Amino acid sequence: MIDEKRFKLVDTKTGKEYEFDGIKGSIGPDVINISSLYKKTGLFTYDPGFTSTAACNSKITYIDGEKGILQYRGYPIEELANSSSHLEVCYLLMHGELPSESDKNEFEEIIKNHTLLNEQIIQFYRGFRRDAHPMAMMIGIVGALSSFYHDSLNIEDPEHRMIASHRILAKMPTIAAMAYKYSVGQPFVYPVNKLNYADNFLHMCFATPTKEYEINPLFSKIMDQIFILHADHEQNASTSTVRTAGSSLANPYACLSAGISSLWGKSHGGANEAVIDMIDEIVLNDLKPKDFIEEVKNKKNKIRLMGFGHRVYKSYDPRAKVLKKSTEDLFKDLKIKSKELEIAKEIEELALNDTYFKEKNLYPNVDFYSGILLKALDIPTTMFTPIFAVGRTVGWLSQWKEMIEDEEFKITRPRQLFTGNKDKSYKKVPDREKKSIFNLLWLKKTFLNNQ
Ligand code: CMC
């Protein structure tokens, strides 16, 4: 792995020089191996948010943020999104290559055999408040799986890792659909294994004991495409969370629960729901997209244009391009007009031609069109991020497995630049200064909410 390229760090005060190896990837930026930096110099690097840090090596997903390229195991996302199926992509991400016909059939059969949840797990849902967000339930239920499958918790055993991965991949749509059913007070609908992954998910979300759900093949194709587009995205926040949790040798159910938690935030997967909230607000308050853009730009209210910008993409997110086309095709096919789509397109047009967004390289990301597309499929807004989680499950699992199997694998333990107090002496209570940090009114409110 070591490249002949070497880097020199010079302490300009003392003139001391330190050398570091360069490491070449197969594609993309090379890295400077600074793992010996502290030993050699007594210094740490400082990189909040890891904007310049490669935390691991990986063979799974490649992104070129400048050119807007995304590849899973070397295959362009556009080809996979338009020609493959989600389970085929799952196989590709987990095993490194597209499956042969028999491997594909076998894999699909295995996944189908794990779709059911243990009946006791289903009891867990009843402990949640009726108005709980499906993501809150998913975090709890996925974590709870670790109390059920003791036969696959030895993460050092490759067979256990594989069985646990198959289980999680198969059960995630069931878990998400049941969270939705619970939140709307409908009976849970069990998986039907003759259906494919996307159809089964739609069936579990929308069938009722009184009415069969007629699967629209177009809806099913789009749902599958959404799963593919969300399947992996290298070391994003939730994947890094899964890797960090897994680095302590925690079991995969616990790690995935941590990943779902991280995904929920509106800077990450929660953005697809936030895009629709933003558009609804524009419609509700009869705002002009132009005025809304100005509000974002003036930064006074710290409003961000949701579904825009990305840490890695400094050009149009290739996933957003695919979804924009699918959105337009769907609306043409269904012959429907949508105020949301009109507003989204106007916002996009304004932002792409505005200096603020141009200078900061802010383009639509995957969440900009996925929300509008999901809304057109009649998917409730609270299910947008759970759908992202269902799609991303395979990415989390593949990255977790890759990490455990990496010879350089170590527990994740970043260091810090300490800026706090030092060497203080303990004071008895009467000797301390009063500091009012609690607001009484607010405290009363939280007591009431706790009942
Ligand atoms: N609207 C307005 N200004 C923005 C936006 C936005 N959406 N995104 C970034 N900026 C500005 C930001 O204010 C900052 O300006 P300045 O340099 O003047 O301080 C500059 O651009 C750089 O922003 P940053 O927050 O340092 O960039 P980041 O790489 O840390 O953040 C991001 C990336 C995705 C969190 C951010 O672009 C954002 O908050 N976007 C909106 C939320 C969103 O759509 N998230 C989904 C991301 S894609 C799917 C996923 O990963 O789950």
Side-chain angles (χ1 to χ4, degrees):
M1 279 249 287
I2 305 287
D3 187 25
E4 63 279 1
K5 213 182 205 170
R6 292 178 72 78
F7 296 88
K8 218 179 247 175
L9 176 73
V10 183
D11 182 331
T12 51
K13 216 167 168 190
T14 61
K16 242 180 153 183
E17 292 184 356
Y18 308 92
E19 282 209 356
F20 298 94
D21 298 322
I23 307 180
K24 219 172 173 39
S26 49
I27 182 172
D30 299 340
V31 303
I32 308 169
N33 182 359
I34 52 137
S35 54
S36 60
L37 180 78
Y38 180 63
K39 228 187 212 162
K40 284 183 181 163
T41 67
L43 298 169
F44 296 141
T45 54
Y46 182 62
D47 183 20
F50 303 127
T51 56
S52 302
T53 298
C56 62
N57 74 77
S58 179
K59 292 182 170 60
I60 303 174
T61 292
Y62 172 69
I63 305 175
D64 183 330
E66 318 300 323
K67 296 194 184 126
I69 293 172
L70 169 61
Q71 296 179 349
Y72 294 162
R73 301 280 189 186
Y75 293 94
I77 191 65
E78 297 80 3
E79 280 184 34
L80 295 171
N82 291 317
S83 315
S84 187
S85 68
H86 183 57
L87 277 189
E88 190 173 69
V89 168
C90 289
Y91 184 99
L92 170 70
L93 288 168
M94 288 171 91
H95 301 292
E97 203 29 278
L98 285 165
S100 67
E101 193 172 357
S102 64
D103 287 338
K104 184 171 181 278
N105 293 340
E106 196 184 351
F107 182 66
E108 287 179 356
E109 219 31 57
I110 291 170
I111 298 303
K112 280 181 181 175
N113 278 324
H114 285 294
T115 53
L116 210 57
L117 294 187
N118 183 304
E119 275 299 306
Q120 265 181 288
I121 292 178
I122 296 176
Q123 303 303 320
F124 271 64
Y125 285 93
R126 312 211 184 276
F128 286 98
R129 251 172 79 140
R130 175 62 66 215
D131 57 358
H133 194 287
M135 285 296 278
M137 291 188 250
M138 286 182 79
I139 292 166
I141 302 281
V142 172
L145 292 181
S146 43
S147 62
F148 282 84
Y149 298 110
H150 299 126
D151 63 340
S152 57
L153 289 183
N154 178 9
I155 64 148
E156 259 128 345
D157 182 334
E159 209 172 295
H160 281 216
R161 290 201 292 272
M162 192 53 69
I163 294 168
S165 299
H166 289 158
R167 278 197 177 121
I168 297 172
L169 187 59
K171 292 184 198 308
M172 201 62 94
T174 316
I175 291 169
M178 286 190 172
Y180 170 60
K181 284 300 200 192
Y182 184 77
S183 72
V184 290
Q186 288 183 6
F188 296 130
V189 173
Y190 288 81
V192 170
N193 288 349
K194 67 173 188 225
L195 299 176
N196 70 32
Y197 201 77
D199 286 355
N200 214 352
F201 176 65
L202 289 168
H203 158 78
M204 288 187 285
C205 284
F206 300 117
T208 65
T210 51
K211 200 163 178 234
E212 220 179 278
Y213 176 71
E214 260 184 57
I215 292 159
N216 178 332
L218 184 60
F219 283 21
S220 160
K221 193 167 165 266
I222 290 174
M223 186 55 70
D224 204 61
Q225 188 179 64
I226 287 175
F227 288 151
I228 294 173
L229 291 170
H230 289 86
D232 193 48
H233 214 228
E234 51 123 303
Q235 310 311 318
N236 57 84
S238 57
T239 302
S240 300
T241 303
V242 169
R243 278 189 180 253
T244 298
S247 78
S248 71
L249 306 181
N251 72 68
Y253 306 102
C255 297
L256 271 269
S257 171
I260 298 169
S261 308
S262 169
L263 183 76
W264 195 2
K266 68 178 173 152
S267 292
H268 192 7
N272 52 14
E273 193 177 330
V275 168
I276 293 298
D277 291 345
M278 175 184 81
I279 293 179
D280 283 350
E281 196 153 319
I282 293 175
V283 175
L284 201 76
N285 297 316
D286 210 12
L287 296 174
K288 289 196 172 63
K290 195 167 151 280
D291 297 338
F292 183 78
I293 292 279
E294 288 308 315
E295 175 109 12
V296 170
K297 279 163 55 184
N298 76 31
K299 288 191 170 187
K300 245 196 281 163
N301 296 321
K302 295 194 172 162
I303 297 174
R304 287 203 167 191
L305 185 55
M306 298 315 288
F308 257 72
H310 197 276
R311 169 63 61 80
V312 184
Y313 292 119
K314 299 303 162 205
S315 58
Y316 213 106
D317 180 338
R319 302 166 301 172
K321 256 187 211 163
V322 174
L323 284 179
K324 184 178 181 186
K325 174 147 190 342
S326 295
T327 311
E328 286 172 345
D329 290 350
L330 179 77
F331 279 80
K332 219 185 269 166
D333 227 83
L334 298 180
K335 296 191 179 60
I336 45 171
K337 284 218 172 302
S338 148
K339 187 143 186 157
E340 281 97 356
L341 183 61
E342 293 312 312
I343 289 177
K345 280 178 150 181
E346 197 177 336
I347 286 177
E348 183 189 336
E349 171 95 19
L350 287 164
L352 292 180
N353 291 303
D354 190 290
T355 323
Y356 172 96
F357 294 90
K358 279 204 268 189
E359 277 176 355
K360 295 183 193 302
N361 292 320
L362 300 170
Y363 293 86
N365 60 50
V366 68
D367 293 314
F368 193 67
Y369 281 104
S370 67
I372 294 156
L373 191 53
L374 288 169
K375 197 144 190 232
L377 301 185
D378 274 338
I379 307 282
T381 334
T382 54
M383 283 305 284
F384 291 4
T385 317
I387 285 170
F388 192 150
V390 172
R392 183 57 54 87
T393 297
V394 66
W396 292 328
L397 291 167
S398 309
Q399 300 266 353
W400 168 77
K401 177 175 174 282
E402 182 178 65
M403 178 188 72
I404 305 280
E405 291 169 4
D406 184 350
E407 280 174 10
E408 289 179 359
F409 159 57
K410 274 185 166 53
I411 186 167
T412 303
R413 179 54 170 94
R415 301 304 304 268
Q416 62 178 8
L417 171 69
F418 183 71
T419 54
N421 295 325
K422 59 174 189 177
D423 304 334
K424 293 187 84 175
S425 300
Y426 183 82
K427 275 187 195 160
K428 295 220 165 102
V429 174
D431 302 335
R432 296 178 204 157
E433 264 171 50
K434 180 176 161 53
K435 258 194 197 162
S436 290
I437 53 171
F438 301 115
N439 174 331
L440 262 185
L441 221 98
W442 173 78
L443 275 182
K444 263 191 207 152
K445 239 192 232 168
T446 57
F447 287 142
L448 282 177
N449 279 345
N450 282 341
Q451 286 158 15

